[in-house]
Amino acid sequence: MTTADYDQASLPDLLPLYYRRLFPFSQYHRWLNYGGVTKNYFQNREFSFTLKDDIYVRYQSFSTQNELEKEMQKMNPYKIDIGAVYSHRPNQHNTVKSGSFQALEKELVFDIDMTDYDDVRSCCSGADICPKCWTLMTIAIRILDRALRDDFGFRHCLWVYSGRRGVHCWVCDEAARKLSVAARSAVAEYLSLVKGGDETVRKVVLSDPIHPFITESLTVVENYFSQYALLGQDILGSKEAVDKVLALLPEDILFLCKLLQYFQTEKNPEKRWDTIRSMAQDKRMTAKKGHYFEMEIMLQYCYPRLDVNVSKGVNHLLKSPFSVHPKTGRISVPIDLRELDRFDPFEVPTISLICEELDQPKTEEEQDDNMENENKKEAGERRKMRDYKRTSLAKYVKLFDNFLEEMAHSRKGEVLKNSDLQKDF
Amino acid sequence: MDYLGLIINIFVSVAKTGNDRHAFTSSSRAEIRTLCGNWRESRQIDRSKASSLGKLSEARYRTMQFYSRRKKLIGNSQTEQLYGHCLQFYGQPPIENISLSEFETFAVDRLKLLKTVENLGVSYVKTSELYTKKLDAEFSNLNFPYKIEASTKDDWKPQTGPSEYEKRRKDHISHFILRLAYCQTEDLRRWFIQQEIDLFRYRFNDLPSKNIGQFLQYNNLHYHTISIDEKKKLMDKLVTSSFAVSGSTVDGKDFYKVPFQDALDLVRTRKVYLNGGYVYIPHQDIVTIVLNDFRTRLSKALALTARSLPAVQSDERLQPLLNHLSHAYVGQDYSIQKSIGKISLEQIDPLSAKSYPLCMRQLHRGLRDSHHLRHGGRMQYGLFLKGIGLTLDQALQFWRSEFVKGKVDADKFDKAYAYSIRHMFGKEGKRTDYTPYSCMKVILSNPPSQGDQHGCPFRHSDPELLKQKLQSYKVSPSGISQILELVKGMHYQLACQKYFELTHSIEDSGFSLNHPNQYFMESQKLLGGPGAGVKVEVKREDNPATKPPNPSPHQTPGPGNLPQEVAAEITEDLDSFFQDA
């Protein structure tokens, strides 16, 4: 059973099945409700749907989980986006006095897109990805997740595969949801090291002092650089590739000549890189200003490139976890950071796969589960719970469950802390 | 606590004699009149009326009741605590009764202080000795608190003048009064916030280190210093994150731990060590954080104030004062010139090139070129001409000769335009003698539209056009860029001052430009011209019927029969607006 069986034309048949029996509504609602701490948090959340024939509807909102389910099952959206929590119900925004309808809160989000790396990857371009360049996403997740946790103190970051060529991060901490536009922009700037468009050759510029954040990020890059860049991308192999690297070196004729001469004889990329490295270190010893070009090269080829505009806006809409990507059929699933190096985007289940899996007979394990649960829950719910568990989607929903459990735990901790402070017993 | 706007329960200061129907003493009456110009006696509210709150609306009465009830809960200890620190964050509005005159004095004094802050701030480097000296002098003159060492000395034993407590109270109250006056438009808010920030920064930087901690605690700013152990642990990180920080800095100075949301600029540019959501800021940078906090709070407060303003403005005692404060020209008003008649019409052209400020030069040029000026231009230029000493007859001749060259024949001029010129000189209608516009007035009111020539070129002209104009007037390129820099920073009067300095080839103009006629006068002084011999006159009410019995109705200056401190005030009339059309 291969995932290559997916065909966009079959979406109208698959989607109803997906939304009726597989989409994890209960967990989804649990997430966006955030423990019901703030009144109307779920009710004032904006969703947007892209329906068949590219019909786009915004300002969708729902009072209950049930209502959400019914609507989605009715509309069978091709794409689902999540927006901000507003001051009023988004589906009533026209009745609100102009100026009063405001986006109040939203998760802090990041969008890493492989196309932003086209100038530094040689294996693919555009919407294509392969196992070789996927390492860039791995590096991005490691660097950003560390920074969000250690530097900013955020504890609940949900990393999601976008379904085609990138990853998203949803930072769900209460402090993150309450961040202002200025704060989001500042966070995104802090995390940005690669700057410049097509006209800029040297996109990373480092100077003294090297901030601890940069040092930490470099440590991560160094772990992957040899395997990914020198071998996988072969950046010091062909003449064309070498020229690109040389363009990032200081314009010191003597220096470049020496290097080129050296490259005449030495063809091994690792050795070539070692030379460049030691030359950089030498320069740092002698010159007044810091020369960090070997670090700049590593960062330019590997450091995460994020779209600041996605992170800045409180009202920015972003693809929802567990939505389907129409072009690939893949489900936007959470990524397990404990198994990050083993994550393979090509193993992510497609909607056609999991719908197929639904029809398979139950295994023995599941039959035992059924016996236990039968007495506890209603038939419909039972069936639903069993259903996604039968498919490849199961482990991803479990991941999501763990994530939600952690957040609930945090919330409880907060409540206890606050009541202690107020001496409530 | 919601800031519901400052509701000051104002009542008239009780005359020592008691039951007087006009509760002011004659001196305080005169004081108020000169401070507020055109106030007629009938506006003075006597004590009995005030206490019955007859003039106030029901809603305000209730609000004031609420506040006076709250006031009872706050005992003396609260007020002591309120002024426990010489530097204030202005979190809570004052809740007490003050007299009208104190209200005005406080407001005017703070305005003077802020104007000094503005002028000094662009004339001198903010950390230089001259700046410090001059600003301290102004603090002292106006009785505002500044040096903390001084305060600990005369806290309980005032040597001369007001006690430290009184100075701090003045600081507190005057700030809130000016909030009322400066909350209404974007321009006013921006100006007020900028000066208050500069003032705050100056005083904060003056605080010794231990007082800073005290101040932060006092105002519930949760910026904690980190312990020595923690500093040791983070030594490497701290050194590599900030450019100006070395090992010895870490050892010697305090580091503050601040939530990253309060230090966004430092986070954005990665200029500081960030860990667990907190930034670690060296002492010298904590000022920025506190200032940002100050700015944010003040900005929010002003927005709130603007919303509650209608309630306060409905009080007719306050409304004119607040309006005039925000346009206040605190200086000479050039209404009556001693050099009257000393300028001849032939001299005007050369004078316009040499001694006119740019706005008037532009107006004169416009008049000569098109033989016409629109109403705004006629007012601005016409009053200026009066201020430099033209007589009514000269003015009539001047304008007629020019207009007649245009589309207006002599008859039409006499019918339509002559009347308004006579009006300017107080010879028509209610016969108020209009005063020439100050810079503030020109900059803030009546912006020019298409076809207008009036306004302030530094404020209202497109910078490109301004540049061209300055080039045509042979101002040096470096001078032009200096001027444009000032314009970019919205320091229009300073830009004009710079223009003065460049066109007169001097380093320092020696005065703070506030009025076009002042420009003219100073220029003439320098050049030894006829327009220089001017003494400032007191603005007196022309209508003899409302003149109080004491001062004699003539127009020479001099303290005469008024008390010393009032005489000093007389030379600084609050406002040139009262006389406007």
Side-chain angles (χ1 to χ4, degrees):
Chain A
M1 137 203 56
T2 66
T3 53
D5 283 337
Y6 171 74
D7 175 13
Q8 191 162 351
S10 45
L11 266 183
D13 297 318
L14 296 170
L15 285 172
L17 200 55
Y18 180 63
Y19 291 126
R20 234 166 264 282
R21 293 173 66 186
L22 292 165
F23 189 91
F25 285 105
S26 157
Q27 288 86 345
Y28 199 65
H29 178 265
R30 188 183 179 199
W31 171 35
L32 295 174
N33 198 34
Y34 285 98
V37 172
T38 311
K39 205 161 156 239
N40 287 328
Y41 211 69
F42 181 76
Q43 290 77 359
N44 288 348
R45 169 81 68 167
E46 180 193 359
F47 296 86
S48 78
F49 295 151
T50 308
L51 311 174
K52 194 159 179 268
D53 299 326
D54 277 329
I55 300 173
Y56 182 66
V57 290
R58 261 194 83 171
Y59 299 112
Q60 305 299 297
S61 60
F62 311 98
S63 314
T64 60
Q65 177 188 326
N66 217 17
E67 204 181 296
L68 172 72
E69 278 190 51
K70 294 271 178 313
E71 274 306 297
M72 278 173 66
Q73 282 155 6
K74 195 167 81 182
M75 294 206 249
N76 291 307
Y78 275 37
K79 287 198 251 190
I80 305 170
D81 288 340
I82 300 179
V85 176
Y86 283 81
S87 51
H88 306 76
R89 287 176 192 228
N91 62 7
Q92 294 171 358
H93 75 281
N94 286 321
T95 67
V96 178
K97 190 169 69 160
S98 109
S100 304
F101 182 69
Q102 307 267 7
L104 298 177
E105 295 187 16
K106 191 175 71 74
E107 295 76 7
L108 173 63
V109 294
F110 297 96
D111 180 355
I112 320 282
D113 191 326
M114 198 69 90
T115 47
D116 291 337
Y117 295 81
D118 281 355
D119 58 316
V120 290
R121 53 174 185 151
S122 54
C123 50
C124 314
S125 70
D128 297 325
I129 57 167
C130 72
K132 277 204 248 180
C133 50
W134 185 258
T135 315
L136 287 169
M137 293 295 118
T138 311
I139 297 175
I141 296 177
R142 285 220 188 278
I143 291 180
L144 295 177
D145 196 69
R146 185 213 68 80
L148 290 169
R149 256 169 234 290
D150 295 347
D151 294 5
F152 286 98
F154 294 129
R155 285 154 58 204
H156 306 289
C157 306
L158 180 71
W159 286 93
V160 181
Y161 172 52
S162 74
R164 188 156 65 147
R165 61 188 191 210
V167 294
H168 299 156
C169 179
W170 295 77
V171 185
C172 301
D173 295 58
E174 189 181 348
R177 285 181 272 133
K178 292 180 147 65
L179 287 176
S180 64
V181 172
R184 284 163 207 259
S185 148
V187 173
E189 290 286 335
Y190 176 90
L191 298 170
S192 299
L193 280 178
V194 181
K195 304 204 169 122
D198 293 329
E199 290 109 60
T200 320
V201 175
R202 191 171 154 220
K203 295 191 165 79
V204 181
V205 179
L206 298 178
S207 54
D208 280 315
I210 303 289
H211 192 275
F213 167 75
I214 299 178
T215 317
E216 293 284 346
S217 307
L218 270 167
T219 312
V220 175
V221 172
E222 275 172 29
N223 285 339
Y224 292 88
F225 190 71
S226 181
Q227 181 65 30
Y228 163 74
L230 298 176
L231 291 175
Q233 297 291 320
D234 200 25
I235 63 172
L236 289 176
S238 70
K239 179 173 186 318
E240 208 187 322
V242 169
D243 281 342
K244 277 203 185 140
V245 175
L246 293 183
L248 302 176
L249 294 173
E251 288 170 356
D252 182 340
I253 311 272
L254 214 65
F255 175 75
L256 287 171
C257 278
K258 225 168 56 171
L259 198 60
L260 279 169
Q261 211 173 24
Y262 170 73
F263 280 12
Q264 300 275 25
T265 46
E266 183 55 74
K267 300 292 181 194
N268 180 310
E270 304 252 10
K271 292 231 170 65
R272 283 179 166 185
W273 178 247
D274 281 337
T275 310
I276 294 181
R277 247 214 153 109
S278 49
M279 284 174 114
Q281 279 156 359
D282 285 341
K283 247 195 187 278
R284 273 204 287 281
M285 299 286 196
T286 56
K288 266 191 295 182
K289 246 180 16 178
H291 284 268
Y292 297 106
F293 50 84
E294 93 280 24
M295 298 185 195
E296 289 171 1
I297 292 170
M298 285 200 283
L299 293 172
Q300 181 149 339
Y301 276 85
C302 302
Y303 186 85
R305 300 168 178 214
L306 40 93
D307 185 353
V308 179
N309 291 316
V310 170
S311 311
K312 246 182 13 192
V314 179
N315 53 4
H316 191 102
L317 291 152
L318 187 64
K319 188 160 190 289
S320 168
F322 294 105
S323 63
V324 185
H325 196 298
K327 297 226 168 63
T328 61
R330 300 212 190 265
I331 312 289
S332 285
V333 293
I335 299 175
D336 190 351
L337 258 63
R338 296 165 303 188
E339 311 273 312
L340 184 58
D341 287 311
R342 280 199 286 246
F343 181 83
D344 181 358
F346 298 99
E347 286 300 305
V348 170
T350 60
I351 187 174
S352 42
L353 173 68
I354 54 181
C355 286
E356 238 181 80
E357 287 171 334
L358 264 180
D359 293 329
Q360 287 184 337
K362 284 185 264 187
T363 64
E364 227 175 79
E365 257 180 41
E366 285 165 10
Q367 276 170 342
D368 288 336
D369 275 339
N370 290 349
M371 299 296 236
E372 281 180 36
N373 293 334
E374 212 148 288
N375 305 327
K376 291 187 200 164
K377 297 184 170 95
E378 287 176 24
E381 263 200 56
R382 247 187 287 142
R383 204 189 335 123
K384 243 186 272 167
M385 276 180 61
R386 279 202 298 269
D387 282 348
Y388 75 74
K389 282 192 182 175
R390 279 221 292 267
T391 68
S392 311
L393 201 59
K395 74 171 187 185
Y396 299 102
V397 179
K398 183 97 184 44
L399 254 177
F400 195 43
D401 267 328
N402 293 342
F403 177 75
L404 297 173
E405 211 29 65
E406 265 177 43
M407 281 212 293
H409 193 72
S410 270
R411 274 197 295 273
K412 212 160 58 159
E414 272 304 306
V415 172
L416 281 174
K417 199 166 74 172
N418 285 336
S419 75
D420 278 347
L421 285 174
Q422 292 170 22
K423 313 269 190 263
D424 269 355
F425 292 106
Chain B
M1 177 193 129
D2 260 340
Y3 177 62
L4 294 174
L6 175 61
I7 310 291
I8 299 180
N9 190 358
I10 294 176
F11 64 96
V12 166
S13 55
V14 183
K16 298 252 159 68
T17 50
N19 293 336
D20 215 310
R21 192 192 178 273
H22 295 290
F24 285 116
T25 59
S26 57
S27 64
S28 55
R29 251 183 303 173
E31 181 182 310
I32 289 174
R33 202 181 326 109
T34 51
L35 279 174
C36 303
N38 200 17
W39 278 32
R40 291 190 238 281
E41 305 234 321
S42 57
R43 282 182 180 234
Q44 290 165 8
I45 296 164
D46 69 17
R47 186 176 173 228
S48 52
K49 269 193 186 165
S51 56
S52 68
L53 303 168
K55 293 207 173 186
L56 299 169
S57 70
E58 186 59 35
R60 280 210 66 230
Y61 176 80
R62 269 187 260 121
T63 331
M64 286 167 66
Q65 283 281 294
F66 169 72
Y67 270 92
S68 58
R69 248 181 279 133
R70 281 186 77 239
K71 180 178 170 277
K72 288 198 188 87
L73 298 170
I74 300 167
N76 269 332
S77 57
Q78 177 86 351
T79 40
E80 265 163 28
Q81 210 186 25
L82 200 55
Y83 300 134
H85 201 284
C86 83
L87 182 57
Q88 301 190 47
F89 223 50
Y90 311 109
Q92 306 292 332
I95 299 171
E96 54 169 282
N97 300 332
I98 70 168
S99 64
L100 262 173
S101 58
E102 206 175 27
F103 184 86
E104 286 149 15
T105 318
F106 280 8
V108 171
D109 281 355
R110 191 179 194 88
L111 187 56
K112 285 188 209 166
L113 180 64
L114 292 185
K115 280 194 177 289
T116 308
V117 167
E118 179 185 29
N119 289 334
L120 292 179
V122 195
S123 313
Y124 306 103
V125 174
K126 285 185 186 143
T127 46
S128 71
E129 236 184 83
L130 260 176
Y131 179 83
T132 312
K133 213 169 59 170
K134 292 195 178 219
L135 195 47
D136 280 352
E138 191 72 357
F139 277 121
S140 174
N141 285 341
L142 296 169
N143 292 318
F144 281 106
Y146 62 106
K147 287 264 186 273
I148 188 137
E149 311 94 65
S151 73
T152 48
K153 266 194 292 185
D154 48 330
D155 219 18
W156 42 275
K157 200 172 52 174
Q159 287 145 4
T160 51
S163 70
E164 183 61 23
Y165 172 83
E166 280 165 25
K167 290 189 198 172
R168 293 179 191 179
R169 176 176 166 269
K170 177 174 182 176
D171 183 21
H172 185 217
I173 295 178
S174 60
H175 170 89
F176 277 88
I177 297 175
L178 287 192
R179 276 197 199 181
L180 292 174
Y182 280 86
C183 63
Q184 294 188 68
T185 71
E186 195 53 50
D187 273 347
L188 289 175
R189 283 202 280 252
R190 198 182 304 137
W191 183 86
F192 181 67
I193 292 178
Q194 185 57 51
Q195 309 323 317
E196 285 285 345
I197 283 183
D198 283 345
L199 178 63
F200 185 87
R201 184 192 294 118
Y202 177 73
R203 292 158 79 185
F204 188 85
N205 279 332
D206 227 18
L207 287 178
S209 172
K210 67 171 167 66
N211 290 93
I212 292 188
Q214 222 175 52
F215 173 79
L216 293 176
Q217 203 181 30
Y218 209 75
N219 289 285
N220 290 321
L221 297 170
H222 302 292
Y223 308 144
H224 303 294
T225 49
I226 61 177
S227 66
I228 298 188
D229 285 336
E230 213 177 335
K231 265 201 280 182
K232 269 210 190 64
K233 223 171 41 169
L234 299 172
M235 171 74 83
D236 284 334
K237 301 271 162 62
L238 294 173
V239 168
T240 49
S241 21
S242 308
F243 189 72
V245 171
S246 65
S248 55
T249 326
V250 179
D251 280 331
K253 303 258 185 189
D254 280 331
F255 271 75
Y256 293 82
K257 194 168 147 172
V258 173
F260 84 88
Q261 291 93 329
D262 292 341
L264 290 180
D265 284 332
L266 293 172
V267 169
R268 179 194 309 272
T269 50
R270 239 178 280 117
K271 284 207 161 76
V272 74
Y273 178 56
L274 172 64
N275 187 269
Y278 288 91
V279 291
Y280 292 80
I281 304 185
H283 176 85
Q284 60 260 32
D285 291 340
I286 198 70
V287 189
T288 322
I289 308 301
V290 177
L291 278 176
N292 278 340
D293 204 321
F294 185 74
R295 182 199 297 269
T296 317
R297 288 180 195 219
L298 188 53
S299 197
K300 280 201 192 125
L302 284 177
L304 268 172
T305 311
R307 266 180 255 159
S308 345
L309 202 56
V312 178
Q313 277 194 320
S314 65
D315 186 330
E316 5 176 292
R317 294 168 298 182
L318 296 186
Q319 191 227 17
L321 177 63
L322 291 178
N323 278 341
H324 303 130
L325 269 177
S326 57
H327 294 95
Y329 161 56
V330 188
Q332 304 165 0
D333 71 355
Y334 303 95
S335 52
I336 294 149
Q337 304 293 305
K338 253 245 156 129
S339 66
I340 194 162
K342 295 238 173 83
I343 309 264
S344 74
L345 291 183
E346 297 79 48
Q347 291 174 301
I348 288 187
D349 275 326
L351 278 175
S352 77
K354 280 191 298 184
S355 292
Y356 275 18
L358 197 60
C359 55
M360 301 304 173
R361 190 171 180 177
Q362 179 174 293
L363 279 164
H364 182 75
R365 188 79 263 131
L367 177 64
R368 287 281 188 234
D369 287 343
S370 30
H371 310 298
H372 187 269
L373 275 186
R374 289 200 183 166
H375 181 257
R378 292 200 301 273
M379 289 302 286
Q380 188 174 326
Y381 189 29
L383 288 171
F384 172 77
L385 288 173
K386 185 176 84 156
I388 68 174
L390 247 56
T391 61
L392 174 59
D393 286 328
Q394 283 179 303
L396 283 167
Q397 195 183 346
F398 172 73
W399 290 99
R400 185 192 287 116
S401 69
E402 204 48 59
F403 271 53
V404 154
K405 287 187 208 154
K407 296 188 198 145
V408 178
D409 64 47
D411 265 346
K412 181 165 180 214
F413 179 84
D414 285 333
K415 281 196 203 124
Y417 296 99
Y419 177 88
S420 84
I421 294 169
R422 282 203 299 278
H423 207 277
M424 270 189 237
F425 279 75
K427 299 287 187 272
E428 296 282 358
K430 61 184 164 158
R431 288 167 211 271
T432 34
D433 201 0
Y434 294 88
T435 46
Y437 297 170
S438 65
C439 288
M440 256 298 209
K441 169 142 190 177
V442 172
I443 290 170
L444 287 180
S445 28
N446 194 19
S449 12
Q450 196 62 18
D452 282 328
Q453 302 276 23
H454 65 266
C456 171
F458 301 102
R459 165 77 175 91
H460 298 120
S461 286
D462 174 59
E464 251 326 292
L465 293 176
L466 178 62
K467 185 169 159 186
Q468 285 171 25
K469 185 166 289 172
L470 293 171
Q471 280 167 343
S472 75
Y473 291 155
K474 309 274 194 315
V475 179
S476 70
S478 64
I480 294 181
S481 20
Q482 281 177 60
I483 289 179
L484 291 177
E485 266 311 297
L486 287 168
V487 166
K488 206 159 82 165
M490 302 202 308
H491 303 290
Y492 309 116
Q493 286 153 270
L494 293 162
C496 194
Q497 222 168 288
K498 178 59 63 180
Y499 169 76
F500 181 97
E501 286 161 11
L502 292 163
T503 48
H504 292 73
S505 304
I506 55 170
E507 281 293 311
D508 183 3
S509 56
F511 64 92
S512 251
L513 182 62
N514 271 317
H515 200 293
N517 286 91
Q518 175 195 23
Y519 183 111
F520 180 82
M521 195 190 85
E522 292 286 345
S523 169
Q524 287 287 290
K525 257 199 319 213
L526 253 181
L527 303 170
V534 173
K535 273 218 209 105
V536 174
E537 301 283 341
V538 178
K539 186 165 52 167
R540 303 275 179 165
E541 288 194 52
D542 291 335
N543 191 344
T546 59
K547 273 220 177 359
N550 288 342
S552 44
H554 61 76
Q555 304 198 339
T556 49
N561 1 45
L562 299 162
Q564 193 53 38
E565 71 274 17
V566 180
E569 304 257 331
I570 283 173
T571 54
E572 287 152 8
D573 277 340
L574 181 61
D575 171 297
S576 58
F577 281 18
F578 283 106
Q579 314 290 7
D580 289 348

